[in-house]
Amino acid sequence: MNPLLNTIIIYARDMQRTAAFYERYFGFTTTGEIVEGLIELAAPTGGASILIHQAAKSVKLGQVGVKLSFSVPDVEAFKASSAALGLEFGSTHQANGYVFANAKDPDGNSVSVSSRAFRVL
């Protein structure tokens, strides 16, 4: 049996602020309560959940080792609704049959929205 990716752990300086970011802009649900040192966020449509973990002072955040990519059918519409809430994405990039755009979370981690999952092959 192949393993299933169902949890992404994000290290954060301000756990509450980072949890609120993913709740506000990407629709994750959370109580915001810290349980066993983690804040858990559930995916709105059944995808992977996110666990927010307190980052040690020695951890360098915002590196390019991990990028969260969220699938949306209409990148421009998502960018516009996010901008209305205060999150600005960069330029929309054209790829092989889809588009994507990038932003940063409060800890400098890369996030993107992409229409790749909705492309017609």
Side-chain angles (χ1 to χ4, degrees):
M1 181 163 106
N2 292 324
L4 172 70
L5 175 65
N6 67 351
T7 306
I8 298 165
I9 298 173
I10 298 174
Y11 292 91
R13 296 273 181 248
D14 182 336
M15 294 171 64
Q16 298 290 346
R17 181 175 172 215
T18 299
F21 173 88
Y22 288 100
E23 183 175 31
R24 178 177 179 142
Y25 298 116
F26 296 99
F28 280 75
T29 58
T30 182
T31 64
E33 183 180 358
I34 299 173
V35 177
E36 298 176 353
L38 302 165
I39 298 176
E40 185 168 358
L41 294 98
T45 55
S49 64
I50 295 174
L51 293 176
I52 307 295
H53 188 288
Q54 182 65 52
K57 290 183 195 267
S58 62
V59 172
K60 289 186 178 184
L61 297 176
Q63 300 298 312
V64 294
V66 173
K67 177 191 257 185
L68 301 180
S69 183
F70 295 89
S71 296
V72 296
D74 186 336
V75 169
E76 292 304 320
F78 189 88
K79 284 176 61 174
S81 65
S82 294
L85 294 172
L87 175 61
E88 295 290 335
F89 279 84
S91 301
T92 300
H93 303 280
Q94 183 70 43
N96 188 18
Y98 66 97
V99 296
F100 66 95
N102 300 307
K104 298 279 187 182
D105 76 6
D107 293 295
N109 297 306
S110 294
V111 294
S112 74
V113 288
S114 170
S115 63
R116 185 176 189 273
F118 300 95
R119 69 183 170 171
V120 178
L121 299 175

